[in-house]
Amino acid sequence: MKWVRAMMAIVVMWLGVSIAHAKEASALRWVTPSDPQITVQQGQTVTFEVQGEGLTQASWKVLGHDKGPHALNSDGRFAHQFVRPGVRVVVVTDAHKRQIFRRILVDKALQPADELSIVSPQRGHRFAVGAPIPLHAKGAQPHVVWELGDGRVVRGAMGTAVFTKAGQHRIRVYDIEAGSGKRRDATVMIQVQ
C-alpha cells in the first residue's frame, strides 16, 4: 500500500510539473522577428508573428505611435507600417494578460537627393578676363568641388572663379551623394574674352 501511495505521489508530482511546463510552453512567444530589437526604414511595413495559446483573444499595440490595441489575427500574424522615425515598442497581450515585447528602431528614410545642377555661371555666358565669376550649385552636398579645367579647384556650393586667359573654359562641379556614396556631377562651358 505504501508503495502504491508513493507511486501515486510521483505520478501526481510528474503531472503537476508536466501541466505547469505545458502552460509555460503555451504562453505567447515571438516567431518573427526573432531578434528582440530590429531596425526598419521609415514607411516600411513589418509583419510580426507570435505563437501560443489564446491567439483569438490576444491583442497588439505599438507604444509611442498608435492609440489603442488591435485584435491579433487567429494565425498569430499582424502587420504594421512605421510612418514616423523614432523608437517604438510592439506589445502583444494574450488572453491571460501576459505580454511580450519587441523594440523597433525606425530610421528616417533616405530621401532621394535633388539633381545637382549649376545655377551660375550659365551656359554660353561671356566673361571678361580677370573678372570674378560667381559659382553656385543647386542640390549640392556640403563638400561640393568645382574643377576649373586648369588644375584649380574651388570648394563649397557657392564660390568665385577668376580666369586670366581668354578662351572657352569647361567648369565641372561634383559631390558625393549622402547615403549612396554615388558621385554626381554637372558641367558648363563658358567663354572668357
Side-chain angles (χ1 to χ4, degrees), residues 62-112:
V62 181
L63 300 180
H65 189 269
D66 285 347
K67 294 179 182 176
H70 305 279
L72 191 65
N73 293 342
S74 59
D75 65 357
R77 292 179 191 208
F78 62 99
H80 185 78
Q81 183 181 26
F82 294 91
V83 295
R84 290 189 299 248
V87 176
R88 306 286 179 261
V89 178
V90 176
V91 182
V92 177
T93 306
D94 70 8
H96 304 287
K97 305 295 184 204
R98 292 177 289 201
Q99 294 184 329
I100 55 175
F101 308 88
R102 279 294 179 261
R103 188 171 185 261
I104 312 295
L105 174 61
V106 184
D107 261 351
K108 187 172 185 178
L110 296 175
Q111 300 297 320

Side-chain angles (χ1 to χ4, degrees), residues 34-57:
S34 57
D35 293 333
Q37 176 177 317
I38 64 169
T39 301
V40 300
Q41 289 285 318
Q42 178 184 0
Q44 183 177 347
T45 299
V46 179
T47 299
F48 299 88
E49 183 178 357
V50 295
Q51 289 180 341
E53 65 175 78
L55 288 178
T56 56
Q57 298 173 352

Side-chain angles (χ1 to χ4, degrees), residues 109-131:
L110 296 175
Q111 300 297 320
D114 294 333
E115 282 291 316
L116 178 63
S117 61
I118 297 174
V119 175
S120 176
Q122 293 181 353
R123 185 175 310 279
H125 274 224
R126 297 175 186 268
F127 297 92
V129 170

